[in-house]
Amino acid sequence: MSFPCHRPGQVAGLLQLLLLTLASGQEQSATFPKAFLLLTPPWSTTFKGEKVTLTCKDHHSLAQGYISWYYNGDFLKKGPETIQINKSGRYSCKTQRSSLSDPVHVEFLSDWLILQASHPVFEGDDVDLRCRGKKEKDINEKIYYRNNKVIRRDYNSEVVRLHSVSRDNSKYHCTTSRESFWIRREEISKPLKIQVQELFPHPVLRASSSQPIEGSPVSLKCETWLPPLRSHIQLQFRFFREDKVLGSGWIDSPEFQILTMWNEDSGSYWCQAKAVTPNIIKKSLGSQIHVQRIPVSDVNLEIQSPGGQLIEGKDLVLICSVAKGTGTVTFSWHREGTERRLGRKVQRALSAELQIAAVRGQDAGRYYCSADNLYGPILSKRIRVTLRSPVSRPVLTVRAPRARAVVGDVVELRCETQSGSPPILYRFYHEDVTLGSSSAPSGGGVSFNLSLTTEHSGNYSCEANNSLGAQHSEAVPLRVTVPVSRPVLTFNPARAQVVVGDLLELRCEAQRGSPPILYWFNHEDVILGNTSAPFGGGASFNLSLTTEHSGNYSCGADNGLGVQRSYMVTLNLTGGLRATGTPSYSPKEHREPSRSGPSNTDPHRPIHSEPAALMELQPVYSNVSPGHDNLVYSQIWSSHHTKENPAPSPKTHQKDEEPAIIYSEVKKAHPDDHEGQAHEDAAENYENLPCAPLALDR
């Protein structure tokens, strides 16, 4: 291969032009906007002898440093941003913050007729053409041509405007005719090629990474620029992978974000830039993007049930995950001893889950999973899944020491469920109140002991829970029976004097005791009768008094939990005398009738209704006015505390019990009374005088 010979000066010029071109290419690759030239006057062709001023500008409002000027591709000088020229040629410039401007061809012609074009002109701009002669007054008509075809005839206008020019190879010229020494001559201008500059350069596509990791985002930017003189023009952008448009098409932003890049997204990416008005579209070169895939690693299997425990009848969820890995991953699940896989999923994710519905005991075992993204499957570690079952409904059993639960008894509440995985927590309830709780770490049942009081009657239940759901037992009723207390025997009427023939009501009542209660009444050792109180309370027995009814009375009460007897009450009656005084208590007790035997009832039926005012008899009375020594007293009855039952009366204050003697004062005859009145019925001459026990010692 041979090369043409050049003179040394030409070689130096070519070398310098090559260096400038390389520098320009490097600066363009750095996306420095081009500088641009302004002409004053704004015509690229003018008559020789005239001068033209060149001004170099860049995208910054103020120039910094010196401007590099070039003439016909050669470095001309470093100087200010404005220079004046009068020599034909191609001029260009460069600032410190720009790349080399497009060259401007300026011609200084000595022709009689020239065609001028306005400058600068960008793609899509309107351009003014001016056909100018040395002597305008001699010109009558001007004719404009494009590629030798007439485009305009003009007589009066100074300029002709062409609309929306483009960067093509069209050539323009103009003609005119003039009178010269009575000879008509036709003048033709030199052909002119309009210097149309790029509105914006071809865009350059730049990616945030040419080898992104699969699954990561990538930003694309379509870089171009408008000259400051046309900065008002709106640009739009569109991005492509191969021949496929990305996104929704044209957008106002020069940037496009791809959120996730996959291996299949590798390929050639490019962009387009478009000026909305005028409609100019330019495309970038393609940029290769190769997406890097990372193999999966650290495969792990976990289950959602806490502790790796499988709950019978519930769903089992197996989650297979990888710590690293990109792209489409194939997950599969397996159980040891089973050749067939349990499930398979293919998805772009670092984890996947498999749900096994309503597992049973045979589903327990060792599980594992695998993951693969085209580099071969990686297995997880084995996980043993054990079976747990919820508790069944528990059964509450109440164990008492006897058939009827009595106050003071200790009963055992036992709660037990027939199935359920341990540990099991049991709770015991009385109505809705929690009594206590106990745990069975190894399963089975538990017990709770309760010492009964009267408040413990009601419904009892228990609950079992092993964290898989609570189960409640059926309610079990418990009735706590209260033994009867010692009954109290009272007389009605409660007045101090009763006489033969009076109707006396004997009232027996226990303050405590669960019904039904059986009561019986004794005179000495003879049972007068018995009666039942099915709903509790007391019972009465009516007695029509005769002289034989003097003696000791008592009553008994029984509700099947033990007999209780009242204190003995003594009643003394004397013939035709009215008995005075209040009966006293005696602790002597008498035998009770059998609860199962027939009722031995006096012909006088007991009265069950309570009297309007019952007064419990007081055991002791003291003397009244003991200082009156002219009074006469007589004992009418007494009560003794026997050795069999030495319990004292509640109001006796002596340690050594003495006979409680009841005295009655004999009424004295008034001096004014008649003699016959002194022999009244003896029963009328007594009145009660209670005697203090200490007075007996005197």
Side-chain angles (χ1 to χ4, degrees):
M1 180 177 294
S2 61
F3 296 91
C5 295
H6 298 279
R7 292 192 300 272
Q10 292 177 328
V11 173
L14 290 174
L15 180 59
Q16 189 173 10
L17 179 61
L18 177 62
L19 293 175
L20 288 173
T21 303
L22 292 174
S24 174
Q26 292 174 352
E27 289 171 347
Q28 287 183 13
S29 66
T31 67
F32 287 147
K34 293 180 182 180
F36 59 94
L37 283 171
L38 299 178
L39 305 182
T40 307
W43 308 104
S44 58
T45 303
T46 189
F47 288 112
K48 186 175 287 188
E50 295 179 344
K51 292 183 179 180
V52 175
T53 300
L54 301 180
T55 302
C56 186
K57 292 287 188 179
D58 60 18
H59 280 68
H60 299 274
S61 58
L62 298 175
Q64 292 184 357
Y66 287 100
I67 307 299
S68 297
W69 291 97
Y70 300 89
Y71 174 71
N72 291 335
D74 296 333
F75 178 74
L76 179 63
K77 65 176 181 179
K78 280 187 177 291
E81 66 174 8
T82 300
I83 63 172
Q84 200 171 58
I85 61 170
N86 56 9
K87 184 178 179 181
S88 297
R90 290 181 293 105
Y91 292 86
S92 58
C93 69
K94 176 182 176 298
T95 70
Q96 295 180 357
R97 296 167 298 184
S98 72
S99 57
L100 190 66
S101 70
D102 291 333
V104 177
H105 186 225
V106 182
E107 282 192 292
F108 294 90
L109 301 177
S110 58
D111 298 345
W112 193 91
L113 185 67
I114 62 173
L115 179 61
Q116 295 178 314
S118 58
H119 185 86
V121 178
F122 296 96
E123 295 171 297
D125 282 357
D126 295 341
V127 63
D128 292 335
L129 296 179
R130 184 169 74 167
C131 191
R132 181 182 174 199
K134 284 187 176 181
K135 295 182 178 181
E136 286 290 316
K137 64 180 182 177
D138 295 337
I139 298 175
N140 294 322
E141 180 186 25
K142 299 175 182 178
I143 303 174
Y144 294 85
Y145 298 84
R146 181 173 62 198
N147 297 330
N148 296 321
K149 291 182 179 182
V150 176
I151 58 173
R152 183 72 62 86
R153 293 178 181 271
D154 187 77
Y155 292 93
N156 299 317
S157 299
E158 182 179 355
V159 297
V160 172
R161 176 159 295 180
L162 302 179
H163 297 286
S164 189
V165 296
S166 61
R167 302 185 72 186
D168 54 22
N169 293 320
S170 297
K171 292 184 178 181
Y172 298 83
H173 73 277
C174 67
T175 63
T176 186
S177 59
R178 65 183 180 90
E179 297 287 338
S180 178
F181 302 105
W182 301 280
I183 300 174
R184 187 175 185 83
R185 298 186 61 176
E186 185 175 355
E187 299 290 344
I188 301 175
S189 70
K190 183 179 179 180
L192 171 69
K193 185 176 180 180
I194 300 175
Q195 301 178 59
V196 180
Q197 301 182 63
E198 283 186 318
L199 179 61
F200 56 89
H202 284 271
V204 175
L205 180 70
R206 301 192 185 279
S208 58
S209 175
S210 61
Q211 293 184 334
I213 301 300
E214 193 172 24
S216 63
V218 167
S219 296
L220 302 178
K221 187 173 184 180
C222 194
E223 291 185 346
T224 188
W225 56 86
L226 290 166
L229 297 177
R230 300 294 182 268
S231 60
H232 61 279
I233 294 177
Q234 180 183 359
L235 293 181
Q236 290 185 331
F237 304 88
R238 186 163 59 173
F239 297 83
F240 297 82
R241 182 181 70 244
E242 306 298 345
D243 294 329
K244 181 180 178 181
V245 177
L246 302 178
S248 58
W250 291 107
I251 58 176
D252 294 332
S253 173
E255 296 186 5
F256 184 82
Q257 183 81 12
I258 302 176
L259 298 179
T260 308
M261 294 289 288
W262 304 110
N263 184 263
E264 54 268 30
D265 294 330
S266 298
S268 178
Y269 288 76
W270 54 282
C271 68
Q272 287 180 332
K274 177 179 74 170
V276 178
T277 303
N279 187 19
I280 299 172
I281 300 176
K282 297 182 180 181
K283 64 177 290 186
S284 71
L285 297 176
S287 296
Q288 290 294 324
I289 297 180
H290 180 66
V291 181
Q292 305 294 312
R293 171 164 288 183
I294 298 177
V296 295
S297 61
D298 297 333
V299 182
N300 182 58
L301 176 66
E302 59 179 333
I303 65 176
Q304 284 188 342
S305 300
Q309 294 177 332
L310 179 62
I311 302 173
E312 185 176 4
K314 300 293 184 179
D315 294 345
L316 172 64
V317 178
L318 301 173
I319 302 174
C320 190
S321 62
V322 298
K324 295 180 180 179
T326 59
T328 302
V329 182
T330 301
F331 297 92
S332 61
W333 290 265
H334 310 268
R335 185 176 69 242
E336 283 186 348
T338 304
E339 294 183 2
R340 184 179 177 182
R341 67 187 174 208
L342 303 176
R344 179 176 179 269
K345 286 187 178 181
V346 180
Q347 58 190 49
R348 288 174 177 170
L350 294 179
S351 66
E353 64 179 42
L354 176 71
Q355 181 170 322
I356 303 175
V359 293
R360 293 292 178 261
Q362 61 268 25
D363 293 318
R366 288 163 58 90
Y367 287 77
Y368 65 96
C369 70
S370 68
D372 182 16
N373 65 346
L374 303 181
Y375 290 95
I378 305 297
L379 303 182
S380 71
K381 293 182 179 180
R382 269 67 170 170
I383 292 182
R384 179 174 296 280
V385 178
T386 58
L387 176 66
R388 291 202 71 204
S389 60
V391 294
S392 60
R393 189 173 191 180
V395 176
L396 178 65
T397 305
V398 179
R399 299 174 181 173
R402 64 186 95 189
R404 297 175 64 188
V406 181
V407 171
D409 285 351
V410 176
V411 297
E412 177 189 5
L413 305 178
R414 181 155 185 88
C415 188
E416 186 168 3
T417 180
Q418 297 303 313
S419 63
S421 301
I424 303 174
L425 178 65
Y426 291 93
R427 286 188 175 87
F428 295 87
Y429 297 91
H430 176 211
E431 303 298 349
D432 295 328
V433 179
T434 303
L435 297 175
S437 62
S438 183
S439 178
S442 304
V446 297
S447 297
F448 182 83
N449 291 334
L450 185 65
S451 181
L452 297 180
T453 65
T454 55
E455 291 79 15
H456 284 142
S457 291
N459 293 319
Y460 288 79
S461 61
C462 68
E463 179 188 82
N465 191 352
N466 65 348
S467 76
L468 302 180
Q471 292 288 336
H472 212 84
S473 73
E474 292 183 355
V476 176
L478 176 64
R479 182 171 179 266
V480 180
T481 307
V482 181
V484 294
S485 61
R486 180 186 294 274
V488 176
L489 177 65
T490 57
F491 291 164
N492 186 34
R495 62 179 180 269
Q497 296 179 354
V498 290
V499 296
V500 173
D502 282 352
L503 182 64
L504 182 66
E505 177 189 4
L506 282 67
R507 177 74 178 173
C508 188
E509 185 171 1
Q511 298 301 314
R512 294 186 307 278
S514 300
I517 303 175
L518 177 66
Y519 291 98
W520 63 92
F521 299 85
N522 293 341
H523 178 209
E524 302 299 346
D525 294 331
V526 178
I527 296 178
L528 300 176
N530 61 66
T531 186
S532 177
F535 305 105
S540 298
F541 183 83
N542 291 338
L543 188 65
S544 181
L545 297 178
T546 66
T547 55
E548 290 80 10
H549 284 147
S550 295
N552 297 317
Y553 289 81
S554 65
C555 69
D558 185 13
N559 64 349
L561 301 178
V563 175
Q564 292 289 339
R565 300 173 183 84
S566 71
Y567 289 113
M568 184 182 65
V569 178
T570 302
L571 176 64
N572 288 331
L573 291 175
T574 304
L577 295 179
R578 178 180 298 273
T580 61
T582 303
S584 64
Y585 284 81
S586 175
K588 182 178 180 181
E589 298 173 351
H590 297 272
R591 68 179 182 272
E592 69 280 359
S594 172
R595 291 179 59 89
S596 60
S599 174
N600 185 9
T601 309
D602 190 87
H604 303 285
R605 294 182 57 82
I607 298 174
H608 297 283
S609 59
E610 293 284 351
L614 280 179
M615 180 182 70
E616 186 174 330
L617 302 180
Q618 302 299 319
V620 178
Y621 289 85
S622 61
N623 288 331
V624 178
S625 302
H628 296 268
D629 54 0
N630 58 346
L631 296 180
V632 178
Y633 298 93
S634 174
Q635 176 183 350
I636 61 172
W637 63 49
S638 65
S639 63
H640 298 266
H641 297 295
T642 62
K643 294 182 179 180
E644 289 82 8
N645 191 351
S649 170
K651 296 187 179 180
T652 301
H653 302 282
Q654 306 145 244
K655 292 184 179 179
D656 298 327
E657 295 296 335
E658 296 291 342
I661 302 173
I662 304 300
Y663 293 91
S664 184
E665 176 185 354
V666 180
K667 294 182 179 179
K668 296 196 315 180
H670 196 274
D672 297 332
D673 290 341
H674 296 89
E675 183 179 355
Q677 293 177 339
H679 302 284
E680 290 178 299
D681 187 354
E684 298 289 337
N685 295 323
Y686 294 91
E687 63 181 18
N688 292 334
L689 287 178
C691 178
L694 294 177
L696 300 176
D697 297 335
R698 298 171 186 169

